[in-house]
Amino acid sequence: MKSKMWDEQTIHAFQTTLLDWYHQNKRNLPWRADTNPYKVWISEIMLQQTRVDTVIDYYYRFMEEFPTIKSLAEANEEKLLKVWEGLGYYSRARNLKVAATQIQENFNGEFPQTVEGIRSLKGIGPYTAGAIASISFGLPEPAIDGNVMRVISRLFGVEEDIAKASTYKIFDQILRAIISHENPGDMNQALMEVGATVSTPAAKECPEWLKPFCYACAHDEHDKFPVKSKKAKPKDVYYLAGVIENKEHEHLLIQRPENGLLAKMWHYPLEEVEPRKYQEFKQLWQKEDSKQLSLDLVAEDTVPELFSSWPVVWQKRHFGEVTHVFSHLKWHILIFYGRTQTEFLPEHGKWLDEQSFSDLVFPKVQQKIVQQFNKTHKVE
């Protein structure tokens, strides 16, 4: 850290200046209407990995469906996920229900008022705990997210890599030293607001009211902060997807395991293949004469297991491909279509008609597959 810790006079001046700016310029967001810990909690979880303007409508719908901790604890999971549909990262919604149940069982239905109690809830980490503790209960706890780290790194010239977990301690120490004990909730929100609206990643300098406190502006190094190593490129993973239709015009869906990526979500059958195999399938089944190909005329090692494990007559071409990027993985999916006259049901599978599709919660990658298939299928 290049800048020394501020003295008490500077800290007081910063608190006053920051809070004055915040009270005059803060955005009118629905979860700021009061400091109810349930509302603060729901909004903070929704805002993880999601833009504010996207969250607003979801927040209103969620509060209408689940206005209390008790109603959330008792919620049907499918209904909960349907309300959440489109926000992604569905484990957040499931964790909310688990945490609501914890509050009902361990805290007599009342939101815990200590940092330790808040942190004991499923899905709540240091940032969310700090936000709830400060905003709802007036505790001088920092709430450190990406926006706050960017602001503080510029104010104090923090040169440590913010992508490293060890750097968190530096920001925690700084914020505990400068946070207002009289109004910690507003100060945390003010720092978030500065990062979201004025000290953005693209900002070339701070506004005039903030410049006197900013190390980066004083040394013409605004673009240097925060210091952050580049993210590792997402790993490429290759799948074949089978859209299988039965004589009742229902489609086969498979439920993913209870843990891991897209836990318990429904999707078309997927088979992971090596990159070389993926390209072979892509090239083989996109030939103009591929509709005339018979599987028994194709070399055995070029027929995916997905094609041969069920009593399905596959159309001898693929229906395009989709890609979907997760934080650490990039899925490449080649889509195939087949029909069956035989009744069969794989483990963790079910058949659904078109109407039932609209009632089911699909992850975005499955939505992409459906859209691509429908687009290609209608052309034929």
Side-chain angles (χ1 to χ4, degrees):
M1 187 172 75
K2 288 189 172 182
S3 175
K4 294 180 180 179
M5 182 56 65
W6 297 336
D7 58 29
E8 288 299 321
Q9 184 176 357
T10 304
I11 291 173
H12 179 72
F14 176 72
Q15 291 173 350
T16 302
T17 303
L18 176 66
L19 290 172
D20 284 347
W21 174 85
Y22 176 68
H23 293 145
Q24 294 174 28
N25 295 277
K26 64 180 178 181
R27 290 168 292 177
N28 182 21
L29 301 174
W31 44 86
R32 287 178 176 167
D34 59 52
T35 59
N36 181 301
Y38 177 62
K39 296 179 180 179
V40 173
W41 172 41
I42 299 302
S43 67
E44 290 296 345
I45 298 299
M46 284 186 169
L47 287 164
Q48 294 172 8
Q49 310 289 336
T50 312
R51 293 170 55 87
V52 169
D53 53 358
T54 299
V55 166
I56 292 174
D57 287 342
Y58 279 95
Y59 175 81
Y60 280 126
R61 285 197 294 272
F62 193 97
M63 283 300 164
E64 184 176 345
E65 291 288 346
F66 312 111
T68 64
I69 295 171
K70 185 174 185 292
S71 65
L72 176 56
E74 296 174 350
N76 172 273
E77 185 172 293
E78 284 296 323
K79 181 179 180 181
L80 172 62
L81 294 179
K82 196 67 180 175
V83 173
W84 195 269
E85 188 175 24
L87 277 176
Y89 300 94
Y90 287 89
S91 60
R92 293 183 296 171
R94 293 192 177 98
N95 287 342
L96 284 173
K97 178 175 167 60
V98 173
T101 303
Q102 288 179 283
I103 296 172
Q104 290 295 107
E105 295 177 351
N106 303 336
F107 298 95
N108 297 315
E110 297 293 329
F111 208 98
Q113 299 186 22
T114 65
V115 174
E116 295 74 22
I118 298 170
R119 283 293 305 273
S120 73
L121 302 177
K122 180 75 170 177
I124 293 186
Y127 164 75
T128 305
I132 298 170
S134 62
I135 297 169
S136 299
F137 303 116
L139 300 177
E141 287 291 321
I144 306 171
D145 68 354
N147 281 326
V148 172
M149 285 195 284
R150 182 168 58 256
V151 173
I152 295 300
S153 68
R154 288 170 175 172
L155 293 179
F156 288 87
V158 179
E159 292 186 304
E160 285 76 6
D161 185 352
I162 66 170
K164 295 182 178 180
S166 58
T167 305
Y168 180 89
K169 293 180 180 179
I170 298 172
F171 291 98
D172 186 72
Q173 290 172 353
I174 294 172
L175 285 159
R176 288 187 185 279
I178 69 173
I179 195 169
S180 167
H181 284 238
E182 292 74 31
N183 206 343
D186 275 6
M187 184 159 180
N188 275 333
Q189 291 183 92
L191 287 168
M192 297 176 210
E193 195 81 347
V194 168
T197 62
V198 295
S199 189
T200 63
K204 300 301 181 184
E205 61 181 5
C206 288
E208 291 301 321
W209 63 269
L210 190 56
K211 278 185 179 179
F213 304 98
C214 182
Y215 173 92
C217 288
H219 295 81
D220 196 24
E221 294 181 341
H222 207 265
D223 291 344
K224 178 179 177 179
F225 300 101
V227 176
K228 185 177 182 180
S229 56
K230 288 186 177 180
K231 270 188 176 181
K233 183 181 178 181
K235 178 184 176 183
D236 292 300
V237 185
Y238 297 86
Y239 288 100
L240 308 179
V243 180
I244 304 172
E245 187 175 10
N246 65 14
K247 57 186 177 181
E248 283 80 28
H249 303 293
E250 298 170 322
H251 283 188
L252 176 64
L253 296 177
I254 304 293
Q255 188 174 34
R256 290 181 68 83
E258 290 192 5
N259 299 305
L261 189 61
L262 304 180
K264 298 173 67 176
M265 303 299 287
W266 292 91
H267 60 83
Y268 286 131
L270 296 174
E271 178 187 345
E272 185 176 354
V273 295
E274 293 296 322
R276 179 179 62 83
K277 286 290 186 183
Y278 183 91
Q279 293 303 327
E280 285 181 8
F281 296 139
K282 184 175 177 179
Q283 293 168 12
L284 175 64
W285 299 111
Q286 70 183 4
K287 292 180 180 178
E288 291 184 4
D289 62 347
S290 62
K291 289 186 179 182
Q292 307 304 317
L293 275 172
S294 174
L295 286 180
D296 58 6
L297 298 179
V298 180
E300 184 176 345
D301 64 352
T302 61
V303 180
E305 183 179 341
L306 179 68
F307 283 21
S308 57
S309 57
W310 294 320
V312 176
V313 177
W314 295 93
Q315 186 157 345
K316 308 305 186 294
R317 55 154 295 184
H318 67 73
F319 280 64
E321 64 181 325
V322 299
T323 59
H324 187 77
V325 180
F326 299 93
S327 58
H328 59 300
L329 297 173
K330 182 176 182 180
W331 281 13
H332 303 259
I333 304 170
L334 202 59
I335 306 166
F336 293 86
Y337 171 62
R339 294 180 178 176
T340 181
Q341 297 295 314
T342 305
E343 292 186 9
F344 73 99
L345 187 63
E347 186 179 7
H348 306 301
K350 66 179 176 181
W351 295 91
L352 287 180
D353 59 22
E354 187 174 345
Q355 177 57 44
S356 300
F357 261 51
S358 62
D359 299 330
L360 199 65
V361 178
F362 283 149
K364 287 184 179 178
V365 62
Q366 169 69 5
Q367 294 175 16
K368 288 182 178 180
I369 296 172
V370 172
Q371 291 167 0
Q372 174 63 32
F373 173 76
N374 288 339
K375 176 183 175 182
T376 310
H377 198 240
K378 285 176 181 177
V379 171
E380 302 198 338

